[in-house]
Amino acid sequence: MNKQKIYQYIDENSCLYTDISHKVWEYAELSLKEYKSAALYKAELEKAGFVLKDKLGGIETAFSGSYTMGPPPGAEGAGHVIGILGEFDALSGLSQQAGAIECMEPEDADLAAEQAGSGHGCGHNMLGAASFGAACAVKRFLEETKTPGTVVFYGCPGEEGGASKAFLAREGEWKKLDAAITWHPGSMNEVTTGTSNSCTQVLYKFKGLAAHAAGNPYDGRSALDAVELMNIGCNYLREHMKKECSIHYAMIDGGGFSPNVVQPHASVLYMVRAIKVKDVKELQARVDKLAEGAALMTGTSCERIFVDGTANPLPNTALEKVIFRNLQEVPLPEYSAEEKEYAAKLRKTWEGKETFPGLGALADKNIAAEVKEFTKNGTLDLNSFVYPFYSGDEFTPGSTDVGDVSWLTPTVQFNAVTWPAGSPGHSWQNVSCGRTSIGDKGLLYAAKVLAGTAADLFAETGLLKEAKAEFEERTKDEKYLCPIEEDAVPYVIG
Ligand SMILES: [Zn+2]
Ligand SMILES: [Zn+2]
C-alpha cells in the first residue's frame, strides 16, 4: 500500500471523519466532560476493529483504541508502536453559528441549549477527527502490507483544562510508544518546533463565617478578603520571581451577591508558568504560602486543590523532517470561489493584526522572505502552501500537555490550515470556520499527513532510530519531572 493508496483510503472514508468533526463541533463539550464525544469515538473505534481501553488513568473520558499486526508489543518479532493523539474538548463562551462572518449566537434553540454556550474555538473537533482518520488508514496500511506493528489512537480529553496527557504521563503511558504524532488546526501548513511553557493550576477555596456586614461584622470572617489579600500578595511577589515566570489568576467565586453579608466562601484559581517544571514547582510553593498567609490574616481556612499541570515540549528534529516531507507530499486542498470569499470576509474581522507568521520567519531572514512571497506579502486569505522547514529550540509562550508526552517518547506536531490567515486563537471565528468545508479540507489533509508520516516510520526503521537517538540525547542530562502531583486526581472546575 503506497502513499497514494493511503490518501485514497482517507478520501473514500472522508464522510465518516468529517461527520465526526461536525458532531463533536455540535456537542462542544468542555474539558473532562466530553462524554458524548468520547462515546462517539469509542463506538467508531470498535466498529473499525480497534481494541478499546476505556477510562485511561482513571479519567472518565480518556481512552485508546489499538490495532496490532503481527506479535503483540513486547513479544518477539513485534513491530513498532506508534501513537496518534486526538483531542475533542471545547471552550466556554464561544458558541457560534457555523460559517458566520460576524459574531452571533446559534439560531437553532436546541443547538444553543446543547452547546450551553461553548464552542470549538481551538478546533479540537477537527483535531480528533483527523487523528482518528489517520489511525484507520494506518491500520489498513499495516493490514495490507503485513507490516508488524501497532497503531494506537489516543482519546485525550481536557487539553484546555485537565491535562489528561500529563496525568497519563505520570502513569508512564507514553513510554509504551516508539513515537507519538499529532497535529493542531491552524492557519499555516507548518511543522511545529521549539518549546513553550510548563505550568500548574491550583485552586484555593477559602471558607469563613457569614455575618451582617453592618450589624455584627466583627463576628464575620471574610473569605473574599482572603482572596483579595492573596492576590495582593501575588502582585508583590511578581517583582521577586524569575523573569521568564508568570502568574495568572481567575476569581471563580467571589462569595454571594449581597454586599451586606460578610462573604463566607470565595475561591481563586491560580496558574503558574515557567519554562521548566522545576521552576513552576518552586514558584507554586511560594504561591501556596500566600494562600496560607491570607487565611491567617483573615481567620479563614483554605482548601488547596491541585488541578493540572503541563511540561514544556521537547522538539524532535528527526521527526519534524518526516512530517515536513509528508506536508509536501500530500496534495494541498484547493478552495472554491465561495470558500475564498468566506475566508476573505472572515479575515476582515481581525485584519491588520497579523504580519508574517511562524517561528521560522522570526528566526531566519531567508524564511521570512520566502513567507512574504508565499503569502503574497501577507495578502493571502488562506495560506494554501507548505511553510518552509524550520527546526529550533525557540520558546513560544503558551502551554500544552503534548509537552508531557514529548518527555517520554519522541513526539512531533504540525499545524494544518483550517482557518484563514492569522485567525486569532480561541475565537468565535475559529468556531465558525471549524464546521465549514475549509475545516473539512484541512482535517482531511492533516489525516493524510499523519497517516503518511506513520507509514514512513513503520516502513523506514532508520527514521525511528534517528528520532530515538535524538530523544535520548535531549533527555540525557535532564529527566522528566511530572508537573502532576503524586496524589492529584483529575479535577473538573464548575
Ligand atoms: Zn486551545
Ligand atoms: Zn488546542
Side-chain angles (χ1 to χ4, degrees):
M1 193 184 192
N2 60 20
K3 291 272 181 78
Q4 294 312 318
K5 286 234 173 106
I6 291 176
Y7 306 157
Q8 200 184 324
Y9 175 87
I10 290 171
D11 283 333
E12 283 165 9
N13 294 282
S14 61
C15 286
L16 172 61
Y17 313 138
T18 55
D19 275 359
I20 290 175
S21 169
H22 298 172
K23 280 182 183 152
V24 171
W25 185 92
E26 276 163 27
Y27 299 156
E29 296 168 295
L30 296 178
S31 302
L32 303 181
K33 296 180 188 169
E34 314 94 333
Y35 297 106
K36 285 187 204 165
S37 307
L40 173 65
Y41 276 111
K42 286 186 274 189
E44 292 299 340
L45 282 166
E46 279 197 313
K47 241 191 260 173
F50 287 84
V51 178
L52 207 65
K53 262 195 202 166
D54 204 5
K55 299 187 173 58
L56 291 184
I59 303 167
E60 285 284 313
T61 48
F63 56 90
S64 69
S66 62
Y67 172 79
T68 299
M69 170 53 77
E76 209 184 309
H80 294 296
V81 185
I82 293 179
I84 305 179
L85 313 178
E87 297 166 9
F88 34 78
D89 57 335
L91 291 152
S92 74
L94 285 180
S95 66
Q96 190 51 230
Q97 278 185 34
I101 47 165
E102 59 182 284
C103 187
M104 56 213 297
E105 285 298 304
E107 264 170 14
D108 185 317
D110 292 335
L111 181 62
E114 194 171 347
Q115 285 188 327
S118 47
H120 273 285
C122 211
H124 295 177
N125 58 310
M126 297 173 278
L127 202 169
S131 295
F132 170 75
C136 293
V138 176
K139 175 177 178 282
R140 176 58 67 91
F141 166 82
L142 294 175
E143 282 166 344
E144 284 210 355
T145 57
K146 307 249 178 310
T147 305
T150 298
V151 59
V152 193
F153 171 85
Y154 279 96
C156 306
E159 197 282 331
E160 301 292 356
S164 68
K165 296 186 203 74
F167 276 90
L168 294 177
R170 188 182 61 178
E171 315 294 313
E173 181 69 34
W174 313 114
K175 285 187 197 163
K176 298 174 189 167
L177 304 178
D178 291 298
I181 54 177
T182 189
W183 76 293
H184 201 286
S187 55
M188 298 289 302
N189 299 309
E190 180 188 16
V191 174
T192 307
T193 191
T195 191
S196 54
N197 290 108
S198 302
C199 74
T200 49
Q201 290 199 93
V202 174
L203 176 64
Y204 300 93
K205 291 174 93 169
F206 291 92
K207 259 205 178 125
L209 271 178
H212 193 292
N216 59 334
Y218 38 82
D219 288 329
R221 298 291 178 267
S222 172
L224 181 57
D225 285 359
V227 165
E228 291 192 70
L229 286 167
M230 180 176 177
N231 294 347
I232 287 169
C234 163
N235 294 329
Y236 276 94
L237 174 65
R238 293 184 199 279
E239 189 190 344
H240 310 286
M241 58 192 211
K242 290 181 183 166
K243 289 277 176 289
E244 66 272 18
C245 295
S246 56
I247 306 178
H248 326 287
Y249 56 76
M251 279 178 61
I252 62 171
D253 171 21
F257 297 107
S258 308
N260 56 349
V261 172
V262 174
Q263 308 299 344
H265 55 82
S267 304
V268 60
L269 176 63
Y270 266 74
M271 180 183 241
V272 169
R273 294 194 210 247
I275 298 177
K276 303 279 182 187
V277 174
K278 182 180 155 284
D279 292 325
V280 168
K281 285 185 183 267
E282 275 176 26
L283 188 54
Q284 185 68 64
R286 293 175 77 189
V287 172
D288 289 346
K289 289 284 175 205
L290 299 177
E292 283 172 30
L296 200 62
M297 280 190 280
T298 51
T300 58
S301 63
C302 179
E303 185 190 359
R304 176 191 188 276
I305 300 168
F306 181 89
V307 176
D308 64 14
T310 64
N312 55 316
L314 279 184
N316 190 294
T317 309
L319 289 181
E320 286 165 18
K321 284 181 185 161
V322 188
I323 287 281
F324 182 70
R325 185 212 285 183
N326 281 278
L327 281 168
Q328 287 186 309
E329 281 175 9
V330 177
L332 286 165
E334 283 174 19
Y335 301 104
S336 67
E338 239 182 344
E339 286 165 342
K340 285 181 186 166
E341 194 188 323
Y342 160 74
K345 282 183 182 163
L346 192 61
R347 194 171 176 231
K348 283 216 161 53
T349 62
W350 67 81
E351 214 170 37
K353 289 172 197 149
E354 165 93 346
T355 49
F356 300 108
L359 206 56
L362 287 174
D364 183 322
K365 270 189 204 159
N366 294 330
I367 293 180
E370 266 184 87
V371 173
K372 199 170 172 181
E373 199 184 314
F374 283 152
T375 60
K376 298 198 169 87
N377 206 14
T379 59
L380 218 57
D381 294 316
L382 287 159
N383 286 325
S384 49
F385 60 89
V386 176
Y387 197 86
F389 183 75
Y390 176 75
S391 182
D393 292 335
E394 283 87 347
F395 169 81
T396 312
S399 309
T400 169
D401 60 0
V402 176
D404 297 83
V405 183
S406 73
W407 280 90
L408 298 178
T409 190
T411 301
V412 70
Q413 304 181 71
F414 65 95
N415 290 329
V417 171
T418 56
W419 303 315
S423 186
H426 293 188
S427 63
W428 69 264
Q429 290 96 335
N430 290 352
V431 185
S432 162
C433 198
R435 201 207 177 289
T436 64
S437 51
I438 294 173
D440 292 347
K441 287 179 178 178
L443 83 86
L444 295 172
Y445 174 72
K448 291 172 190 172
V449 174
L450 287 168
T453 300
D456 283 348
L457 296 177
F458 278 119
E460 301 173 45
T461 45
L463 295 176
L464 270 179
K465 242 186 172 172
E466 206 187 317
K468 274 187 191 172
E470 183 180 339
F471 172 78
E472 298 298 337
E473 183 60 30
R474 286 184 185 271
T475 52
K476 187 175 66 181
D477 300 323
E478 193 185 348
K479 295 293 166 212
Y480 175 53
L481 178 58
C482 185
I484 307 298
E485 295 180 357
E486 242 169 68
D487 54 352
V489 291
Y491 183 82
V492 184
I493 295 168

